[in-house]
């Protein structure tokens, strides 16, 4: 049964839901991804996917698919961030909580990885968070309408773009949420960039990542990108980019993509 979508909205979410009749029960399995289900781009893009049978996930994803068919008007998703229903408001709420934590002296940090950033409300909320003292690191491969490092506005924001043999395509969002250990913060992956079209004019889905091992892998990725001096470009406050330069011969072949592939080949996927 092919559903062609909802009038006026492009379906951009990357979600699979399989419901199986097993020996003693009906069980659901779900996959939430950041990338397209496309064999060619799968070889060229960097993406993440979450495979789960947790009922707390599959129950809401069933509502999500019923939304696509017009059989659900659910608006009170507890786990999932769904555009254009609750995603924009939830992201603003999460940024606002980091701002409040910073003002109260609690650990406050935001790391967001995406393709592009131009949504005005999100940018204004990030500026406010920066002014409150929240450390914000943005990995934005393409268009970025936020200006980092502007005195009195965005001094606590840095923007890095990684450009190499693979296309950086994954969307990952981290909010420290007052946690002493960063791995205890909130992590999300999904299909949406922080753009007006994604948050307001498309059907998108962002899902939380709950397993500690998965969260630690994201933190390692963030560290690799932050330390990349081969493929990384820093966005300056005037809108220009400055390419980082290797500080030693050993760094010349240790860009983000080479590092990730090396880890995977040597130690298997559980290492990264």
């Amino acid at each position: 049964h092919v559903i062609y979508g909802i009038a006026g909205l492009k379906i951009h979410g990357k979600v699979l839901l399989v419901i199986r009749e097993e020996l003693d029960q009906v069980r659901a399995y779900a996959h939430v991804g950041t990338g397209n289900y496309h064999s060619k781009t799968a070889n060229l893009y960097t993406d993440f996917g979450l495979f789960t049978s947790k009922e707390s996930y599959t129950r809401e994803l069933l509502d999500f698919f019923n939304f696509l068919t017009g059989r659900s008007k659910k608006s009170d998703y507890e786990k999932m961030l769904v555009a254009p229903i609750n995603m924009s408001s939830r992201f603003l709420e999460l940024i606002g909580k980091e701002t409040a934590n910073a003002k109260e002296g609690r650990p406050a940090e935001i790391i967001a990885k995406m393709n592009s950033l131009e949504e005005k409300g999100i940018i204004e909320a990030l500026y406010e968070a920066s002014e409150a003292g929240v450390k914000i690191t943005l990995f934005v491969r393409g268009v970025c309408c936020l200006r980092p490092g502007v005195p009195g506005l965005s001094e606590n924001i840095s923007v890095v773009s990684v450009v190499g043999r693979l296309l950086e395509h994954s969307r990952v969002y981290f909010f420290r949420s007052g946690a002493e250990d960063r791995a205890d913060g909130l992590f999300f992956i999904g299909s949406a960039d922080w753009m007006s079209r994604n948050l307001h004019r498309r059907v998108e889905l962002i899902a939380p990542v709950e397993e500690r091992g998965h969260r630690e892998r994201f933190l390692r990725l963030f560290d690799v990108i932050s330390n990349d001096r081969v493929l990384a470009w820093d966005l300056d406050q005037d809108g220009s980019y400055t390419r980082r330069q290797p500080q030693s011969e050993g760094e010349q072949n240790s860009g983000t993509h080479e590092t990730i592939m090396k880890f995977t080949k040597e130690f298997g996927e559980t290492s990264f």
Side-chain angles (χ1 to χ4, degrees):
H1 185 196
V2 178
I3 304 298
Y4 289 96
I6 301 173
L9 297 175
K10 176 181 179 179
I11 299 177
H12 191 251
K14 291 83 170 67
V15 188
L16 293 174
L17 181 65
V18 176
I19 300 176
R20 297 182 69 235
E21 184 175 355
E22 299 185 346
L23 292 177
D24 58 345
Q25 63 180 331
V26 174
R27 193 170 186 181
Y29 299 86
H31 179 272
V32 177
T34 68
N36 308 318
Y37 295 119
H38 193 290
S39 59
K40 290 186 178 179
T41 59
N43 290 320
L44 301 172
Y45 294 4
T46 67
D47 278 299
F48 290 107
L50 176 67
F51 184 66
T52 181
S53 61
K54 285 185 177 180
E55 185 179 354
S56 58
Y57 281 72
T58 59
R59 183 175 59 249
E60 290 200 346
L61 291 176
L62 182 59
D63 286 317
F64 173 75
F65 278 101
N66 285 336
F67 163 60
L68 297 180
T69 63
R71 296 185 179 184
S72 173
K73 295 183 179 180
K74 182 179 178 66
S75 60
D76 57 342
Y77 290 89
E78 295 181 11
K79 285 186 177 290
M80 304 299 160
L81 282 61
V82 179
I85 298 174
N86 71 336
M87 186 178 291
S88 179
S89 61
R90 283 285 286 124
F91 272 134
L92 290 173
E93 178 186 344
L94 290 165
I95 296 171
K97 285 184 177 179
E98 295 302 313
T99 303
N101 285 338
K103 291 179 178 179
E104 295 170 5
R106 303 179 65 194
E109 183 180 7
I110 297 171
I111 302 176
K113 183 178 183 298
M114 68 200 81
N115 292 283
S116 298
L117 168 59
E118 60 80 44
E119 211 282 330
K120 182 178 179 181
I122 294 287
I123 292 174
E124 291 177 347
L126 292 173
Y127 284 151
E128 183 178 349
S130 173
E131 291 181 73
V134 180
K135 179 183 178 183
I136 302 172
T137 304
L138 304 174
F139 302 124
V140 184
R141 189 250 307 162
V143 173
C144 181
C145 295
L146 177 148
R147 295 293 179 91
V150 178
L153 179 67
S154 56
E155 293 171 285
N156 293 307
I157 304 178
S158 62
V159 179
V160 180
S161 177
V162 171
V163 180
R165 62 177 289 185
L166 303 175
L167 184 80
E168 289 295 324
H169 191 255
S170 59
R171 292 91 168 183
V172 185
Y173 300 97
F174 163 72
F175 302 90
R176 185 94 176 235
S177 193
E180 293 294 335
D181 188 336
R182 296 166 85 209
D184 292 328
L186 303 177
F187 292 75
F188 300 86
I189 66 168
S191 60
D193 297 312
W194 278 348
M195 301 184 71
S196 296
R197 68 184 187 186
N198 297 93
L199 299 179
H200 305 295
R201 300 193 299 276
R202 289 182 174 181
V203 176
E204 307 272 13
L205 188 133
I206 297 284
V209 177
E210 298 180 337
E211 300 297 328
R212 186 176 183 86
H214 297 164
R215 295 176 172 190
E216 291 174 346
R217 288 174 69 177
F218 285 131
L219 291 175
R220 287 197 290 273
L221 172 68
F222 296 157
D223 287 340
V224 169
I225 297 176
S226 296
N227 294 316
D228 188 337
R229 304 195 64 84
V230 178
L231 305 180
W233 297 68
D234 292 303
L235 178 60
D236 300 320
Q237 59 181 265
D238 63 357
S240 63
Y241 284 86
T242 301
R243 185 173 185 176
R244 296 179 183 175
Q245 298 298 321
Q247 295 179 328
S248 65
E249 292 184 6
E251 287 186 334
Q252 292 179 1
N253 297 314
S254 57
T256 296
H257 299 158
E258 292 295 331
T259 300
I260 293 175
M261 287 189 286
K262 179 181 178 181
F263 275 132
T264 303
K265 289 178 180 178
E266 291 183 0
F267 304 106
E269 65 176 66
T270 58
S271 69
F272 200 87

